Amino acid sequence: MHSVAQPSTTAKYAGTPVQVVALIFGIVFLAVGIAGFIPGLTTDVDALLFWGSDSGAMLLGIFQVSILHNIVHLLFGAAGLWLASSFAGSRNYLIWGGVVYGLILVYGLFVSGDHPANVVPVNTADNWLHGALAVAMILLGVLLGRRGRASA
C-alpha cells in the first residue's frame, strides 16, 4: 500500500533550495556590511564618511563604501535572514532584491561624481557587482521559486 506524503504544516527554516539561497545571500550581505567597517578589509577607514561620493574608504581596496552603504548591506542581510524563514519570503527577497540591485546599478550609472543625488558612493566595480547581483538574484528567485511551487 502506498502512502501519500502529506504537506508539512510546520515551516522549516531554510528548508527549500530557494530558502537556503536567500539565507546565503543574507549572510553574505551581513558579512559585507560588517567588513565595510573593519580596517584591513576596508582601506582608508579613516576616510569613511556617512554618505556621499567623497567617502574614501574602499572595501577590499575595490568597492567604494560609506557608513550609509554599509548600513544598507546590513539591513539587506537582516532581511535575507528573516525572509529565509518562508518559501514565499525567500522567493520575493531574491526577485525583488534583484530588482533593487538593478535600480542601484542604474543609479550608479547615471548618478555619479558631484551630482546632488549621489548619497551612496558607487564606483565601476560596484556597478559591475550590482549588475551581477541583480541578474543572479532574479534568476535564482525565479528558477528555484518555480521548482519549489511545482513540488508543493
Side-chain angles (χ1 to χ4, degrees):
M1 179 147 93
H2 281 242
S3 66
V4 177
Q6 296 297 318
S8 173
T9 57
T10 60
K12 182 178 176 192
Y13 188 77
T16 65
V18 73
Q19 288 174 274
V20 170
V21 170
L23 178 63
I24 291 168
F25 271 93
I27 290 167
V28 169
F29 282 118
L30 277 176
V32 167
I34 293 167
F37 293 108
I38 299 175
L41 293 176
T42 299
T43 59
D44 300 318
V45 172
D46 55 329
L48 185 68
L49 300 178
F50 183 77
W51 70 6
S53 62
D54 294 333
S55 184
M58 303 287 282
L59 178 61
L60 304 176
I62 301 170
F63 304 103
Q64 188 178 13
V65 293
S66 67
I67 294 170
L68 179 61
H69 200 153
N70 292 335
I71 290 170
V72 168
H73 286 137
L74 291 169
L75 292 173
F76 208 77
L81 296 182
W82 177 56
L83 292 168
S85 66
S86 76
F87 177 84
S90 297
R91 183 177 187 274
N92 287 330
Y93 171 74
L94 291 171
I95 293 171
W96 290 107
V99 170
V100 167
Y101 269 95
L103 293 173
I104 294 171
L105 168 63
V106 171
Y107 168 87
L109 292 173
F110 292 102
V111 179
S112 61
D114 294 334
H115 194 286
N118 191 4
V119 295
V120 178
V122 292
N123 60 16
T124 302
D126 287 304
N127 289 336
W128 279 102
L129 180 59
H130 294 152
L133 284 169
V135 171
M137 291 178 78
I138 291 170
L139 283 176
L140 288 166
V142 169
L143 295 175
L144 295 175
R146 184 177 299 147
R147 221 171 80 195
R149 275 201 181 156
S151 66

